[in-house]
Amino acid sequence: MEALLTPVFLSSLLTGMIVAGVPLLLAGLGEQMSEKAGVLNIGIEGMMLAGAYAGFWAAWALESIWLGFLGGIAGGVLVAIVMALLCIRIGLNQIVIGIGLTLGAEGLTALLHHFQFSRTYPRLPAPARVDIPLLTDLPVIGPSFFGRHPIVYLALAMVVVLAFAYRRTNLGLTLRAAGEKPAALDVAGGHVVLLRSAAVLFTGAMAGLGGAYLANVGAGTFIPFMTGGAGFIGIVLAMLARGRPLWVLIAALVFGAALSLTTALQVAGSNIPTDVIQMLPFAAVIVILVAFGRRARLPAALGLPYERGKR
């Protein structure tokens, strides 16, 4: 127990929580907009993986981490375009297409990595961080929270922007109408298909950015299948948050802490058996799902295609 109270453990846990939680936050915020518009975006895992590979490749080839983030956004959007065309424009099953896109992205990124890098894993230089004056000097929490990469602050800003947009602008009302009452929105002159397509593209951009952060900042390299289900966790976060971006942030940090707990305990030299340590993140996930999963509610039209004039 003493190892759990040391600054080394707390600092490692908080740092790992941010590194693991930011990709989940970005993916969850993107998925939340899709779900508000009535699209269950199961392909978000593939979008994250495409963003991770494209982001790493762009940063490595162009020697710019910011171009890498743009590449990650582009990779996620490309997968999202396919999702929007097949599911929203044509009306194919969203779950089947989403799973297919995820499996396709896993195979394609692994194949591209093999042909380009063979069995090597080149690394990017350590990314620059932005220190907030005074706050960075706080013990334990200072370097963990206030000395991060600018993408972390951007992700936090997105929480505020989206919360304001959903509650104080017409965007929130029209998104809710597209997800729950698409026929009413159609009668009022809204374009349901266009709005849902835009929401899916936004999801792809956020998921791609999250994947690029995971590769360029979190790992410093790309490893095939490195997302490890982060996109699916983002779907869970969006469902549990019930339309509130702040809840996505809280849940992402909780999941991030659970995922980083194993590393933090090992760094602190804990005597807890390794098997128990590796089980803890999964136990935490189960507890969260049982405690809050019953309250998760989805829009009535979620996952259903919409054809103008037929609903």
Side-chain angles (χ1 to χ4, degrees):
M1 287 297 296
E2 295 181 358
L4 303 183
L5 301 178
T6 60
V8 174
F9 169 77
L10 294 176
S11 178
S12 178
L13 178 63
L14 294 177
T15 300
M17 178 180 67
I18 297 297
V19 173
V22 168
L24 301 180
L25 172 61
L26 292 170
L29 292 176
E31 176 66 19
Q32 187 174 64
M33 181 172 287
S34 279
E35 292 184 2
K36 279 181 172 292
V39 179
L40 183 57
N41 199 336
I42 300 295
I44 192 172
E45 175 81 4
M47 297 174 192
M48 285 194 73
L49 197 55
Y53 175 79
F56 169 76
W57 180 87
W60 175 80
L62 303 176
E63 299 183 351
S64 171
I65 193 169
W66 289 106
L67 292 179
F69 289 129
L70 292 179
I73 292 174
V77 169
L78 285 176
V79 180
I81 290 174
V82 179
M83 180 83 177
L85 289 175
L86 296 179
C87 297
I88 301 175
R89 296 287 177 172
I90 300 178
L92 300 181
N93 187 284
Q94 295 179 6
I95 296 178
V96 173
I97 296 301
I99 294 175
L101 289 177
T102 295
L103 296 177
E106 289 178 347
L108 181 60
T109 53
L111 184 64
L112 291 174
H113 180 271
H114 175 74
F115 277 115
Q116 186 168 13
F117 302 109
S118 186
R119 296 183 180 181
T120 63
Y121 297 91
R123 298 189 62 86
L124 299 174
R129 299 186 177 187
V130 176
D131 295 333
I132 299 179
L134 300 180
L135 296 179
T136 311
D137 298 330
L138 295 175
V140 182
I141 65 172
S144 300
F145 283 101
F146 306 111
R148 312 307 308 175
H149 190 273
I151 293 296
V152 176
Y153 305 126
L154 175 62
L156 296 177
M158 288 298 299
V159 174
V160 178
V161 171
L162 291 177
F164 176 81
Y166 292 153
R167 295 179 63 89
R168 302 294 182 181
T169 68
N170 290 333
L171 175 63
L173 181 62
T174 53
L175 282 173
R176 184 174 180 181
E180 299 183 358
K181 300 292 183 180
L185 180 60
D186 195 358
V187 172
H191 200 307
V192 178
V193 173
L194 181 61
L195 188 62
R196 287 184 173 182
S197 299
V200 170
L201 295 183
F202 175 80
T203 302
M206 294 292 285
L209 180 60
Y213 177 89
L214 182 63
N216 296 348
V217 178
T221 186
F222 176 82
I223 302 173
F225 314 105
M226 69 181 302
T227 51
F232 295 113
I233 295 178
I235 297 174
V236 174
L237 298 185
M239 291 180 176
L240 296 180
R242 293 189 293 172
R244 296 177 174 87
L246 180 59
W247 287 26
V248 177
L249 171 61
I250 295 173
L253 293 178
V254 172
F255 273 86
L259 294 173
S260 64
L261 186 59
T262 301
T263 302
L265 288 174
Q266 293 174 345
V267 170
S270 173
N271 294 325
I272 301 177
T274 303
D275 293 339
V276 176
I277 293 177
Q278 293 177 346
M279 181 192 69
L280 291 177
F282 302 99
V285 169
I286 293 174
V287 171
I288 294 171
L289 291 177
V290 171
F292 299 100
R294 293 178 300 173
R295 300 180 181 180
R297 294 293 184 269
L298 299 178
L302 191 62
L304 300 177
Y306 178 75
E307 297 182 24
R308 185 179 178 88
K310 292 188 178 183
R311 291 183 61 177

